[in-house]
């Protein structure tokens, strides 16, 4: 019987199963960071348990880290304590840690692929909802809570109920200026923030196939914003080319065996999905959010919606609340909104290709006076690569701030925080109330749209941009 | 883990849809390394005025009638967003034992069961009606009974709810999931022995 990649990966990881009980699933790779792990390690200590597979567990620091100079001490004592705790826990339990001073440090979902740890067919978990990013490689990857982090540390397994399986097909091709970010924002706009709850989503179709690995990661990253348990893409030559030669990629004969295995994982022709959603690539435009969840989205040529245009009473109330928080009037064109801050970075759009795309728009221009524009690479390796390519100079010449890597203003746990009332175009993944700082107003966009917005001081349609540079 | 069998208590209404975990416990309170001390920061940005101290009189939970509430009733897709277990910790440490909504986000729903808290899914129309009752008569109370899988009040209203049987069993007895999984340790060891070596050889060489 034909199977989907999700079914194949699932079946290959069942350790134990009995009727009426969740299956016990083996976890191939466990990524941890400073914020959601301390209580899990404490739980292990209290129960006198060990980490079963420290070799399959990798840690880094990302959520809390300052993005100013790494040579300065960390000013916030509580943040520092959390990082020190991770260091002590990794030492005690024998776990590899890429700390603040490691060249391999970075956002956990950026470094996994970068190091070749993220591979097709692996089950990957992390105490972070954007773990779905790794699904771009054909891995089954999902976010878990701290109790589950403890569970994986202790047993290298998780009890899981099998999710349903959804196909989201993006057909045809994308018009110029439309990116992976716009694809995923359009998907969430179409199916809603709970549209994929209970499902593992496989992204398919010619548009998904044509995306680079970075683009596929952007799409899979935001699966959780549609409520999905996980999102993935069947692996192909692009996937294998990306992995080849990376530090943890199989080598020599192992590479040949791995390739054979990975090829076998692709969804079979005729495999059945529980639900299929289709979107035509040609119909897509650059997208931007207007409200307080990622489903509140319109094309950049659109306007702030009128609450009265929503039939559903609960939805209407939510829209009214969102407009009040965002300080917006119905029917205002999105491109008229003045901006205070622009943030380029995060596990959604903080990879090298994202920075190249933004730099291409910024080259030869200046950030609008009064706008603060931050570029925060997703990892130390991305930062070094960008500097080798001279992207840092393009950004700083244009008036952007060039920072050290970390999650930064995506969730504003570190000092990069919006002030109340500030309006921000952001390449991150969540426009929730207060996400980037209490009272801060977030509009989610692609890296290209963010760069153009920084220069004009308001949202603009990047399709009309006059590219001056040569990047 | 504290078992959950039956909880009777005042119902606090929160008539908002898509309440995300950033609202339930804002990021500035995620820096603690303990599992405790989150209750006072629950819904912090909604609960307090800009000074961070004065209770916001507009916020539903600040109404004196709901101060000792044990049951929260709210709208669709509650707990969406971040996987932070600090959200159920904050709700539970504030005093909630059960949350009723038309739907929940996946990770949050899982996290509740790990913390002796029961998320109950009821039809949207029913939830709307219960929210109205709680708003009109603060002090309105419900009983959430996991043994018989029913929610009922003191005036004869009742409704059944569905919950996964293995989850119900674990919650009723307050069982530790890790302990249950470790019963299958020999299966885990056998599975590890079957895993092809080529998958992890680079990792093994690194260590």
């Amino acid at each position: 019987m034909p199977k989907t990649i999700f079914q194949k990966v699932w079946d290959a990881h069942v350790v134990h199963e009995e009727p009426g009980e969740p299956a016990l699933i083996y976890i191939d790779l466990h990524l941890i960071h400073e914020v959601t792990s301390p209580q899990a390690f404490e739980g292990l200590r209290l129960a006198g348990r060990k980490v079963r597979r420290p070799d399959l567990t990798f840690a880094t620091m990302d959520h809390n880290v300052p993005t100013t100079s790494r040579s300065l001490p960390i000013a916030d004592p509580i943040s520092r304590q959390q990082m020190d705790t991770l260091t002590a826990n990794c030492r005690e339990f024998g776990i590899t840690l890429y700390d603040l001073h490691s060249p391999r440090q970075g956002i956990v979902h950026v470094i996994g692929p970068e190091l070749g740890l993220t591979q097709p067919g692996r089950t990957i978990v992390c105490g972070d909802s954007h773990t779905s990013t790794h699904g771009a490689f054909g891995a089954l990857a999902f976010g878990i809570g701290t109790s589950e982090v403890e569970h994986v540390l202790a047993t290298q397994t998780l009890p899981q109920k099998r999710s349903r399986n959804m196909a989201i097909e993006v057909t045809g091709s994308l018009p110029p200026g439309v990116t992976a970010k716009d694809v995923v924002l359009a998907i969430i706009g179409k199916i809603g923030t709970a549209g994929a709850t209970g499902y593992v989503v496989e992204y398919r179709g010619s548009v998904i196939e044509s995306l680079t690995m970075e683009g596929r990661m952007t799409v899979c990253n935001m699966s959780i914003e549609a409520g999905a348990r996980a999102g993935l893409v069947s692996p192909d030559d692009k996937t294998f080319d990306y992995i080849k030669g990376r530090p943890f990629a199989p080598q020599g004969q192992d590479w040949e065996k791995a390739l054979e295995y990975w090829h076998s994982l692709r969804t079979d022709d005729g495999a059945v999905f529980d639900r299929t959603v289709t979107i035509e690539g040609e119909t897509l435009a650059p997208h931007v959010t207007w409200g307080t969840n990622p489903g509140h989205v319109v094309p950049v040529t659109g306007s702030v919606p009128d609450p009265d245009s929503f039939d559903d009473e609960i939805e209407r109330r939510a829209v009214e609340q969102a407009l009040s928080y965002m300080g917006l009037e119905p029917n205002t064109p999105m491109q008229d909104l003045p901006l205070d801050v622009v943030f380029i970075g995060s596990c959604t759009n903080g990879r090298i290709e994202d920075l190249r795309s933004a730099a291409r728009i910024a080259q030869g221009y200046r950030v609008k006076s009064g706008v603060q524009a931050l570029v925060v690479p997703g990892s130390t390796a991305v930062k070094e690569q960008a500097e080798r390519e001279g992207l840092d100079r393009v950004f700083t010449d244009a008036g952007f701030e060039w920072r050290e890597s970390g999650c930064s203003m995506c969730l504003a746990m570190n000092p990069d925080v919006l002030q109340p009332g500030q309006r921000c175009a952001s390449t991150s993944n969540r426009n929730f109330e207060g996400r980037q700082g209490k009272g801060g107003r977030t509009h989610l966009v692609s890296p290209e749209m963010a760069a153009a917005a920084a220069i004009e001081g308001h949202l603009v349609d990047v399709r009309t941009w006059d590219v001056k540079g040569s990047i | 883990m504290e078992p959950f069998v039956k909880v009777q208590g005042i119902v606090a209404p929160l008539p908002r849809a898509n309440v995300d975990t950033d609202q339930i416990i804002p990021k500035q309170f995620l820096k603690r390394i303990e599992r405790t001390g989150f209750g006072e920061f629950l819904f912090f940005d909604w609960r307090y005025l800009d000074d961070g101290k004065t209770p916001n009189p507009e916020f539903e939970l600040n109404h004196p009638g709901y101060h000792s509430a044990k049951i929260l009733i709210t709208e669709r897709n509650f707990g969406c967003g971040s996987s932070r277990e600090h959200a159920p910790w904050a709700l539970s440490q504030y005093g909630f034992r059960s949350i009723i909504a038309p739907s929940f986000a996946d990770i949050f729903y899982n996290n509740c069961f790990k913390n002796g808290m029961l998320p109950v899914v009821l039809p949207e129309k029913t939830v709307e009606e219960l929210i109205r009752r709680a708003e009109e008569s603060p002090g309105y109370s419900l009983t959430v009974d996991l043994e018989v899988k029913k929610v009922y009040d003191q005036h004869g209203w009742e409704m059944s709810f569905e919950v996964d049987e293995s989850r119900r069993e674990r919650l009723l007895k307050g069982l530790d999931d890790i302990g249950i999984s470790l019963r299958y340790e020999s299966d885990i060891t056998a599975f590890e022995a079957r895993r092809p070596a080529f998958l992890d050889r680079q990792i093994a060489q690194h260590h």
Side-chain angles (χ1 to χ4, degrees):
Chain A
M1 192 161 135
K3 283 182 172 183
T4 66
I5 179 171
F6 166 57
Q7 289 163 343
K8 293 181 195 184
V9 178
W10 176 275
D11 290 349
H13 287 84
V14 175
V15 170
H16 178 87
E17 196 168 24
E18 52 191 279
E21 291 291 316
L24 199 60
I25 294 298
Y26 198 79
I27 302 303
D28 294 322
L29 177 66
H30 187 191
L31 303 170
I32 61 179
H33 63 82
E34 75 276 21
V35 175
T36 58
S37 67
Q39 296 88 352
F41 284 111
E42 188 57 22
L44 285 187
R45 268 190 291 270
L46 289 173
R49 288 173 176 139
K50 288 189 160 50
V51 175
R52 183 178 178 90
R53 294 298 301 264
D55 56 328
L56 303 183
T57 312
F58 287 81
T60 191
M61 298 169 171
D62 55 6
H63 282 61
N64 238 326
V65 304
T67 56
T68 44
S69 170
R70 289 279 140 94
S71 58
L72 297 172
I74 295 165
D76 177 349
I78 316 174
S79 293
R80 193 171 61 225
Q81 183 197 36
Q82 210 166 43
M83 289 183 246
D84 290 346
T85 302
L86 181 64
T87 306
N89 283 332
C90 288
R91 196 172 298 142
E92 180 182 344
F93 290 96
I95 293 167
T96 300
L97 166 68
Y98 300 128
D99 72 7
L100 220 47
H101 302 288
S102 165
R104 292 181 169 180
Q105 178 275 341
I107 304 176
V108 64
H109 310 311
V110 177
I111 68 167
E114 218 164 61
L115 293 171
L117 286 167
T118 303
Q119 293 174 16
R122 277 195 169 151
T123 47
I124 303 177
V125 297
C126 173
D128 188 281
S129 59
H130 293 111
T131 307
S132 55
T133 311
H134 307 266
F137 292 79
L140 176 60
F142 51 91
I144 56 177
T146 297
S147 295
E148 291 174 308
V149 170
E150 185 181 336
H151 197 119
V152 177
L153 289 173
T155 71
Q156 203 60 28
T157 64
L158 269 183
Q160 287 286 301
K161 209 179 137 193
R162 192 183 187 128
S163 301
R164 285 170 292 171
N165 206 179
M166 182 190 295
I168 297 184
E169 291 211 20
V170 191
T171 60
S173 58
L174 292 179
V178 180
T179 69
K181 183 64 164 287
D182 304 305
V183 170
V184 70
L185 285 174
I187 288 171
I188 301 163
K190 182 178 168 101
I191 68 173
T193 51
T197 303
Y199 287 92
V200 167
V201 173
E202 181 176 344
Y203 299 97
R204 299 160 62 81
S206 50
V207 165
I208 302 299
E209 285 162 22
S210 73
L211 292 176
T212 60
M213 289 315 295
E214 277 92 344
R216 293 178 192 179
M217 284 190 254
T218 300
V219 172
C220 288
N221 172 275
M222 290 189 71
S223 301
I224 182 69
E225 312 311 336
R229 172 108 280 235
L232 41 64
V233 176
S234 280
D236 57 15
D237 287 343
K238 239 181 244 182
T239 318
F240 312 142
D241 289 346
Y242 182 100
I243 297 170
K244 193 167 189 182
R246 292 185 182 267
F248 291 100
Q251 289 178 5
Q253 284 192 338
D254 286 343
W255 174 257
E256 298 305 322
K257 286 185 204 159
L259 267 188
E260 192 184 338
Y261 173 53
W262 295 344
H263 274 293
S264 77
L265 293 170
R266 289 184 60 82
T267 290
D268 299 326
D269 290 339
V272 178
F273 291 91
D274 299 296
R275 188 181 164 200
T276 299
V277 172
T278 306
I279 290 181
E280 291 168 40
E282 285 80 4
T283 64
L284 297 179
H287 273 59
V288 53
T289 62
W290 50 264
T292 53
N293 72 52
H296 289 163
V297 68
V298 287
V300 65
T301 48
S303 300
V304 176
D306 189 334
D308 289 341
S309 67
F310 291 81
D311 294 334
D312 179 71
E313 165 65 24
I314 292 167
E315 197 58 40
R316 182 160 58 239
R317 277 208 311 268
V319 170
E320 279 167 2
Q321 215 169 305
L323 294 193
S324 154
Y325 179 84
M326 293 296 289
L328 295 175
E329 293 297 323
N331 306 314
T332 311
M334 292 308 296
Q335 297 185 52
D336 288 359
L337 302 178
L339 297 166
D340 305 295
V341 178
V342 168
F343 171 65
I344 298 174
S346 85
C347 60
T348 312
N349 281 128
R351 285 171 286 270
I352 187 68
E353 184 180 287
D354 300 312
L355 302 192
R356 286 184 195 131
S357 305
R360 183 168 166 271
I361 298 292
Q363 195 169 33
Y365 288 94
R366 287 288 302 174
V367 169
K368 182 87 170 179
S369 157
V371 173
Q372 185 194 18
L374 295 183
V375 184
V376 183
S379 70
T380 299
V382 167
K383 178 169 185 273
E384 286 169 357
Q385 168 87 24
E387 287 172 355
R388 279 195 298 276
E389 295 180 15
L391 303 182
D392 59 322
R393 289 293 304 275
V394 172
F395 285 120
T396 52
D397 286 352
F400 290 79
E401 295 175 33
W402 179 248
R403 298 293 191 94
E404 298 287 339
S405 78
C407 297
S408 181
M409 202 183 265
C410 173
L411 86 165
M413 263 190 94
N414 78 341
D416 306 333
V417 180
L418 289 185
Q419 298 306 305
Q422 279 190 324
R423 192 176 296 284
C424 175
S426 175
T427 66
S428 56
N429 41 59
R430 288 191 175 129
N431 48 341
F432 295 155
E433 285 186 31
R435 172 79 177 180
Q436 296 191 293
K438 185 173 177 171
R441 294 158 172 170
T442 303
H443 297 278
L444 301 177
V445 290
S446 70
E448 290 87 334
M449 289 275 288
I455 286 150
E456 293 298 327
H458 58 86
L459 294 165
V460 288
D461 186 347
V462 77
R463 290 173 298 185
T464 63
W465 195 255
D466 178 19
V467 175
K468 290 186 183 171
S470 52
I471 295 168
Chain B
M1 187 179 75
E2 191 182 354
F4 185 109
V5 180
K6 182 160 92 171
V7 165
Q8 196 259 333
I10 290 175
V11 181
L14 187 65
R16 305 180 188 215
N18 300 310
V19 172
D20 58 76
T21 53
D22 275 85
Q23 303 319 315
I24 298 171
I25 183 84
K27 78 308 233 61
Q28 62 268 37
F29 307 113
L30 305 186
K31 296 181 185 180
R32 300 176 66 84
I33 55 171
E34 300 84 15
R35 255 179 198 262
T36 52
F38 295 100
E40 56 187 301
F41 306 119
L42 178 72
F43 295 121
F44 190 84
D45 288 351
W46 287 345
R47 197 164 141 199
Y48 298 101
L49 296 177
D50 286 345
D51 65 3
K53 290 180 195 138
T54 317
N56 175 3
E58 303 286 307
F59 182 55
E60 293 87 342
L61 298 194
N62 287 336
H63 188 292
Y66 306 125
H67 275 176
S68 56
K70 285 187 188 162
I71 298 166
L72 183 69
I73 185 151
T74 184
E75 282 166 359
R76 64 178 80 142
N77 198 28
F78 186 79
C80 60
S82 151
S83 64
R84 60 188 71 163
E85 197 162 318
H86 311 68
W89 294 338
L91 285 159
S92 148
Q93 288 158 19
Y94 178 90
F96 290 117
R97 295 297 316 282
S98 179
I99 302 162
I100 301 175
S103 60
F104 292 90
D106 186 40
I107 305 177
F108 176 83
Y109 187 81
N110 281 333
N111 283 341
C112 285
F113 286 94
K114 313 278 182 193
N115 291 281
M117 202 160 58
L118 177 64
V120 175
V121 176
L122 291 182
E124 196 145 61
K125 284 231 159 13
T126 308
V127 167
E128 290 294 301
E129 171 59 22
L130 292 174
I131 286 177
R132 194 187 61 75
R133 286 186 203 175
E135 283 178 334
E136 283 176 4
S137 17
Y140 176 72
S141 81
L142 285 171
T143 301
V144 178
D145 189 334
L146 182 58
E147 200 126 51
V148 299
K149 297 191 278 184
K150 275 185 180 163
V151 181
Y152 50 87
D153 70 9
Q154 292 150 322
H155 315 290
W157 175 89
E158 66 165 48
M159 185 169 266
S160 297
F161 61 87
E162 293 291 323
V163 59
D164 178 77
E165 196 46 40
S166 75
R167 280 190 160 130
R168 173 171 168 272
E169 194 69 20
R170 290 176 189 205
L171 201 50
L172 281 172
K173 296 182 181 152
L175 297 178
D176 161 30
D177 273 352
I178 298 178
I180 296 173
S181 294
L182 285 174
R183 288 184 202 156
Y184 305 109
E185 192 165 7
S186 59
D187 295 283
I188 300 172
T189 304
F191 183 93
E192 285 175 330
R194 288 200 302 274
R195 297 177 79 225
F198 70 84
L199 288 176
D200 293 332
R201 201 169 346 255
Q202 284 306 112
I203 287 178
Q205 279 171 6
H206 162 82
H207 283 92

